[in-house]
Amino acid sequence: MEQRKALTTAKMRKMKQDGVPITMVTAYDYPSGRLSEEAGVDVILVGDSLGNVVLGYDSTLPVTLDDMVYHTRATVRGAANTFVVADMPFLTYHGSLDATMQGVGRLMREGGAKAVKMEGGAEIAATVRAVTEAGVPVVGHLGLTPQSVHQLGGFRVQGRSSEQAEKLLSDAKAIEEAGAFAIVLELVTDELAAWITKQLSIPTIGIGSGVHCDGQVLVYHDLLQYGSDSAPRKFVKAYANIGETIRAGIGEYVKEVKARTFPAQENTFHMDNDVVQYLYGDKE
Ligand code: KIV
C-alpha cells in the first residue's frame, strides 16, 4: 500500500481556497497518534490539553516543555506521515526570544513536530513573526485560550459583544500578518468565527466555533469519551464511548481472575510430560 504523505502548510491554504475542510484531532502518544493517522486525519495537535486529559491536572498550566517534548515524540512515532503540531506550554513564549527559540527547537528537534501552536493575539505577534522567520510554521490560537483561563474568568464563549468581536478580528489579522499559517478559534460565536474566516487568507480551525471555520479540531478523549469524569459539553460530539468499553473490559478481567476462569487452557503453556515426570513424578 502506498504511504500517504503529510500535508504541508501550502496544501492547507489551498484546501481553504477550495473549500475542503481540514480535520484536526489531538493526540498524545503512540497509539492515539497511530489510530488518528490510520483514521485519515489531516493534522494532529499534541495539545497541552494533555494536562487535563492525560496527566489529570485541572488546567493546562502545569504542563511543562519536557511533558510536551515527551508526548510529541511518542505521537510522531505513531504518526510519521501526518503533519503534527505541538503546543508551546504556558509561559514558555513570553520571556526572551532566546528562551522561546530554545523551546521551539526542542519541540521540533527532539519531539519531531512540524509546527508549533501559541495562544494569544497582537501581544504575541512579534514572537510569532520571529519564529516563522526562523523557518518554523506557527498556528495561532484565539478566543477561549485555556492558558489565560484565570484572566478570562472561566471557560466561557468568546466574541459575544461588539468590542470583543472587533478585538478578536484584529488579533486574528495581527497573527496572520505575523506569519502564522493557521489559527485555532476556540469557543467563538458562530457568526464571529464565520466573519474572521472570511477575512483571513489562512485557514481557521474551530473548536466550539461553528461550522463555518475552514477546519475542525476536537480533543481525542472528548470525541471518543475516553476517561471517566468529563462532563458532556455542548460543542463536543461523542463518536464512540471507549471509556465504557475499557471499563467493561477491565471489569470482566477482574471477575475472571477472581473466579479463576482466566487464564484458561488456551492461555497456558505446558512442559512435555516426560519432563514433568522427571522433575515431579517421584514426589507425587
Ligand atoms: O490543547 C489543546 O488540545 C488545544 C485544542 C483544544 C485546540 O489547544
Side-chain angles (χ1 to χ4, degrees):
M1 200 172 67
E2 205 182 304
Q3 292 237 315
R4 76 171 196 164
K5 278 202 187 126
L7 273 188
T8 60
T9 59
K11 278 192 194 145
M12 285 181 238
R13 192 183 275 248
K14 177 85 169 54
M15 286 168 83
K16 174 180 177 107
Q17 286 160 2
D18 295 345
V20 178
I22 298 167
T23 54
M24 181 190 270
V25 71
T26 68
Y28 312 97
D29 55 15
Y30 178 83
S32 57
R34 184 169 170 166
L35 291 168
S36 300
E37 177 168 295
E38 286 171 359
V41 301
D42 295 316
V43 182
I44 287 176
L45 170 66
V46 185
D48 61 355
S49 52
L50 92 89
N52 302 91
V53 298
V54 175
L55 302 178
Y57 299 131
D58 61 4
S59 79
T60 60
L61 307 198
V63 175
T64 65
L65 197 59
D66 283 343
D67 292 333
M68 289 306 303
V69 169
Y70 177 88
H71 285 272
T72 302
R73 196 164 48 216
T75 304
V76 167
R77 279 197 290 264
N81 301 307
T82 303
F83 193 96
V84 175
V85 181
D87 256 335
M88 290 287 286
F90 182 57
L91 291 187
T92 57
Y93 47 103
H94 300 87
S96 72
L97 196 53
D98 263 8
T100 300
M101 289 301 189
Q102 272 183 27
V104 170
R106 288 198 60 202
L107 288 171
M108 308 280 288
R109 265 196 305 268
E110 297 174 43
K114 290 197 161 59
V116 297
K117 177 165 81 58
M118 298 178 192
E119 297 182 6
E123 73 285 359
I124 63 155
T127 307
V128 171
R129 185 179 303 283
V131 173
T132 53
E133 282 177 355
V136 176
V138 174
V139 179
H141 185 154
L142 291 168
L144 188 281
T145 44
Q147 292 174 10
S148 313
V149 62
H150 299 307
Q151 195 177 44
L152 295 171
F155 292 89
R156 49 174 75 106
V157 176
Q158 305 292 305
R160 287 199 198 271
S161 70
S162 57
E163 297 78 33
Q164 265 193 358
E166 277 168 5
K167 166 93 170 74
L168 274 174
L169 178 59
S170 79
D171 278 340
K173 286 186 169 165
I175 294 300
E176 173 176 59
E177 275 160 25
F181 75 89
I183 297 182
V184 167
L185 295 177
E186 180 164 354
L187 272 191
V188 171
T189 54
D190 181 51
E191 297 79 4
L192 179 60
W195 181 238
I196 293 175
T197 299
K198 224 172 176 173
Q199 297 291 309
L200 301 184
S201 55
I202 57 173
T204 58
I205 311 289
I207 173 163
S209 300
V211 77
H212 304 292
C213 295
D214 298 303
Q216 297 292 328
V217 54
L218 277 180
V219 168
Y220 185 88
H221 291 59
D222 289 345
L223 84 95
L224 298 174
Q225 296 288 286
Y226 181 16
S228 42
D229 54 2
S230 59
R233 275 159 300 161
K234 181 179 161 96
F235 64 90
V236 172
K237 179 169 173 185
Y239 286 87
N241 191 337
I242 62 168
E244 198 41 56
T245 305
I246 290 172
R247 197 178 298 114
I250 296 174
E252 200 53 31
Y253 162 74
V254 168
K255 257 198 240 154
E256 290 198 359
V257 170
K258 297 282 187 198
R260 292 197 188 280
T261 53
F262 177 83
Q265 277 310 308
E266 66 263 30
N267 314 114
T268 304
F269 305 93
H270 291 286
M271 283 170 154
D272 285 344
N273 243 342
D274 50 348
V275 182
V276 176
Q277 275 304 315
Y278 173 79
L279 287 173
Y280 306 115
D282 295 343
K283 296 173 197 140
E284 298 271 316

